[in-house]
Coordinates of all heavy atoms in Angstrom, one line a residue:
Chain A
V69 N -2.2 -9.7 5.2 CA -2.4 -10.8 6.2 C -2.3 -12.2 5.5 O -1.6 -13.1 6.0 CB -3.8 -10.7 6.8 CG1 -4.2 -11.9 7.6 CG2 -3.8 -9.5 7.8
A74 N 1.0 -16.9 4.4 CA 1.6 -17.8 3.4 C 3.1 -17.9 3.7 O 3.7 -19.1 3.8 CB 1.4 -17.3 2.0
S80 N 8.2 -23.3 7.0 CA 8.4 -24.7 7.4 C 8.2 -25.6 6.2 O 8.9 -26.7 6.2 CB 7.3 -25.0 8.4 OG 7.4 -24.2 9.5
L88 N 14.1 -26.2 11.8 CA 14.4 -27.1 12.9 C 15.4 -26.4 13.8 O 15.3 -26.4 15.0 CB 15.0 -28.4 12.4 CG 15.4 -29.5 13.4 CD1 14.2 -29.9 14.2 CD2 15.9 -30.7 12.6
Q92 N 14.5 -23.8 17.5 CA 15.1 -23.9 18.8 C 15.8 -22.7 19.3 O 16.1 -22.5 20.5 CB 16.1 -25.1 18.8 CG 15.4 -26.4 18.6 CD 16.4 -27.6 18.7 OE1 17.2 -27.6 19.6 NE2 16.3 -28.5 17.7
S93 N 16.1 -21.8 18.4 CA 16.9 -20.7 18.7 C 16.3 -19.3 18.6 O 16.5 -18.4 19.3 CB 18.2 -20.7 17.9 OG 17.9 -20.9 16.6
L96 N 11.4 -17.3 19.8 CA 10.9 -16.2 20.7 C 10.3 -15.0 19.9 O 9.1 -14.7 20.0 CB 11.9 -15.8 21.7 CG 11.5 -14.9 22.7 CD1 10.5 -15.5 23.7 CD2 12.6 -14.3 23.5
I114 N -11.8 -3.1 15.7 CA -12.6 -2.2 16.5 C -12.6 -0.8 15.9 O -13.6 -0.2 15.8 CB -12.0 -2.2 18.0 CG1 -12.1 -3.6 18.6 CG2 -12.8 -1.2 18.8 CD1 -11.6 -3.6 20.0
Y117 N -14.9 0.0 12.9 CA -16.3 -0.1 13.1 C -16.8 0.8 14.2 O -17.9 0.6 14.7 CB -16.7 -1.5 13.3 CG -16.6 -2.2 12.0 CD1 -15.4 -2.9 11.7 CD2 -17.5 -2.0 11.0 CE1 -15.2 -3.4 10.4 CE2 -17.4 -2.6 9.8 CZ -16.2 -3.3 9.5 OH -16.0 -3.8 8.3
R121 N -19.2 5.6 17.2 CA -19.7 5.0 18.5 C -19.3 5.7 19.7 O -19.8 5.5 20.8 CB -19.4 3.5 18.6 CG -20.4 2.7 17.9 CD -20.0 1.2 17.9 NE -20.4 0.6 19.2 CZ -20.3 -0.7 19.3 NH1 -19.9 -1.5 18.4 NH2 -20.7 -1.3 20.4
R123 N -18.7 9.3 21.8 CA -18.9 10.8 21.8 C -17.6 11.5 21.8 O -17.5 12.6 21.2 CB -19.7 11.1 23.1 CG -21.1 11.4 22.9 CD -21.8 11.9 24.2 NE -22.8 10.9 24.6 CZ -23.9 10.7 24.0 NH1 -24.2 11.3 23.0 NH2 -24.8 9.8 24.5
V170 N 21.4 -22.6 24.3 CA 20.5 -21.7 23.6 C 20.1 -20.6 24.6 O 19.8 -20.8 25.7 CB 19.3 -22.4 23.1 CG1 18.3 -21.4 22.5 CG2 19.6 -23.5 22.1
E406 N 9.1 -33.2 -3.3 CA 8.8 -33.1 -4.7 C 7.8 -32.0 -4.9 O 7.2 -31.5 -4.0 CB 8.3 -34.4 -5.3 CG 9.3 -35.5 -5.4 CD 8.7 -36.8 -5.7 OE1 8.2 -36.9 -6.9 OE2 8.7 -37.7 -4.9
M411 N 4.3 -25.9 -7.2 CA 3.9 -24.9 -6.2 C 4.3 -23.5 -6.6 O 3.5 -22.5 -6.4 CB 4.4 -25.2 -4.8 CG 4.0 -26.5 -4.2 SD 2.2 -26.6 -4.1 CE 1.9 -28.1 -5.1
I421 N -3.2 -12.8 -9.3 CA -4.6 -12.5 -9.1 C -4.8 -11.5 -8.0 O -5.5 -10.5 -8.1 CB -5.4 -13.8 -8.8 CG1 -5.4 -14.7 -10.1 CG2 -6.8 -13.5 -8.4 CD1 -5.9 -16.1 -9.8
S425 N -6.2 -7.8 -8.6 CA -7.5 -7.5 -8.0 C -7.5 -6.5 -6.9 O -8.4 -5.7 -6.8 CB -8.2 -8.8 -7.5 OG -7.4 -9.4 -6.5
S426 N -6.4 -6.5 -6.1 CA -6.4 -5.5 -5.1 C -6.2 -4.1 -5.7 O -6.9 -3.1 -5.2 CB -5.2 -5.8 -4.1 OG -4.0 -5.7 -4.7
R432 N -11.3 1.4 -7.8 CA -12.7 1.5 -7.8 C -13.3 2.2 -6.6 O -14.1 3.0 -6.7 CB -13.3 0.1 -7.9 CG -14.7 0.0 -8.5 CD -15.0 -1.5 -8.7 NE -16.4 -1.6 -9.2 CZ -17.5 -1.5 -8.4 NH1 -17.3 -1.3 -7.1 NH2 -18.7 -1.5 -9.0
Chain B
T53 N -17.6 -8.9 10.1 CA -16.7 -7.8 9.6 C -15.6 -7.4 10.7 O -14.5 -7.3 10.3 CB -17.4 -6.6 9.2 OG1 -18.6 -6.4 10.0 CG2 -17.8 -6.7 7.7
N60 N -7.8 -15.3 11.7 CA -6.6 -15.7 11.0 C -5.4 -15.9 12.0 O -4.6 -16.8 11.9 CB -6.2 -14.7 10.0 CG -5.7 -15.4 8.7 OD1 -5.9 -16.6 8.5 ND2 -5.2 -14.6 7.8
I71 N 6.0 -24.8 16.2 CA 7.4 -24.9 15.8 C 8.3 -24.4 16.9 O 9.4 -24.9 17.1 CB 7.7 -24.1 14.5 CG1 7.0 -24.8 13.4 CG2 9.1 -23.8 14.2 CD1 6.7 -24.0 12.2
P75 N 10.3 -28.1 17.7 CA 10.9 -27.7 16.4 C 10.9 -28.8 15.4 O 10.8 -28.5 14.2 CB 12.3 -27.3 16.8 CG 12.2 -27.0 18.3 CD 11.1 -27.8 18.8
E76 N 10.9 -30.0 15.8 CA 11.1 -31.1 14.8 C 9.8 -31.3 14.0 O 9.8 -31.9 13.0 CB 11.5 -32.4 15.5 CG 13.0 -32.4 15.7 CD 13.4 -33.6 16.5 OE1 13.5 -34.7 15.9 OE2 13.8 -33.4 17.7
G82 N 6.6 -30.2 7.8 CA 7.0 -29.3 6.8 C 7.3 -30.0 5.4 O 6.8 -29.6 4.4
I93 N -3.0 -22.8 2.0 CA -2.6 -21.4 1.9 C -3.3 -20.6 0.8 O -3.8 -19.5 1.0 CB -1.1 -21.2 1.7 CG1 -0.2 -21.8 2.8 CG2 -0.7 -19.7 1.5 CD1 1.2 -21.8 2.5
Y105 N -12.7 -7.9 -0.1 CA -13.1 -7.1 -1.3 C -14.6 -7.0 -1.4 O -15.2 -5.9 -1.7 CB -12.7 -7.9 -2.6 CG -11.3 -7.9 -2.9 CD1 -10.7 -8.6 -3.9 CD2 -10.4 -7.2 -2.1 CE1 -9.4 -8.7 -4.2 CE2 -9.0 -7.2 -2.3 CZ -8.5 -8.0 -3.4 OH -7.2 -8.0 -3.7
Y108 N -15.7 -4.4 1.5 CA -15.3 -3.0 1.5 C -15.2 -2.4 0.1 O -15.4 -1.2 -0.1 CB -13.9 -2.8 2.2 CG -13.9 -3.3 3.6 CD1 -13.6 -4.6 3.9 CD2 -14.1 -2.4 4.6 CE1 -13.6 -5.1 5.2 CE2 -14.1 -2.9 5.9 CZ -13.8 -4.2 6.2 OH -13.8 -4.7 7.5
N297 N 14.5 -27.0 23.7 CA 15.4 -26.9 24.8 C 14.8 -26.1 26.0 O 13.9 -25.3 25.8 CB 16.7 -26.2 24.4 CG 16.5 -24.9 23.8 OD1 16.3 -23.9 24.5 ND2 16.4 -24.8 22.4
S299 N 15.7 -23.5 27.9 CA 15.7 -22.1 28.0 C 14.7 -21.5 27.0 O 14.0 -20.5 27.3 CB 17.1 -21.5 27.7 OG 17.7 -22.2 26.7
M300 N 14.6 -22.1 25.8 CA 13.6 -21.5 24.9 C 12.2 -21.8 25.4 O 11.3 -20.9 25.4 CB 13.7 -22.2 23.5 CG 12.7 -21.7 22.5 SD 12.8 -19.9 22.2 CE 14.2 -19.8 21.1
L325 N -17.8 -5.0 22.4 CA -18.3 -4.0 21.5 C -19.1 -4.6 20.4 O -20.0 -4.0 19.8 CB -17.1 -3.3 20.8 CG -16.4 -2.3 21.7 CD1 -15.1 -1.8 21.1 CD2 -17.3 -1.1 22.0
D329 N -22.9 -6.3 22.7 CA -23.5 -5.0 22.7 C -24.8 -5.1 22.0 O -24.8 -5.2 20.7 CB -22.6 -3.9 22.0 CG -23.1 -2.5 22.1 OD1 -24.2 -2.3 21.6 OD2 -22.5 -1.7 22.7
S338 N -24.6 3.1 18.8 CA -24.9 4.0 19.9 C -23.6 4.8 20.2 O -22.5 4.3 20.1 CB -25.3 3.2 21.1 OG -24.2 2.4 21.4
K339 N -23.8 6.0 20.6 CA -22.7 6.8 21.1 C -22.4 6.6 22.5 O -23.3 6.5 23.3 CB -23.0 8.3 20.9 CG -23.0 8.7 19.4 CD -21.9 9.7 19.1 CE -22.0 10.1 17.7 NZ -20.8 10.8 17.2
K340 N -21.1 6.4 22.8 CA -20.8 6.1 24.2 C -19.9 7.2 24.8 O -19.0 7.5 24.1 CB -20.2 4.7 24.4 CG -21.2 3.6 24.2 CD -20.8 2.4 25.1 CE -21.8 1.4 25.0 NZ -21.5 0.4 23.9

Side-chain angles (χ1 to χ4, degrees):
Chain A
V69 167
S80 299
L88 180 58
Q92 295 184 46
S93 47
L96 187 66
I114 299 178
Y117 290 93
R121 272 176 86 171
R123 257 186 245 291
V170 176
E406 288 173 68
M411 296 304 121
I421 293 170
S425 61
S426 63
R432 202 173 176 281
Chain B
T53 38
N60 222 11
I71 288 160
E76 277 172 77
I93 297 172
Y105 288 176
Y108 302 88
N297 56 80
S299 42
M300 181 56 82
L325 285 171
D329 186 298
S338 62
K339 290 245 180 196
K340 283 211 176 93

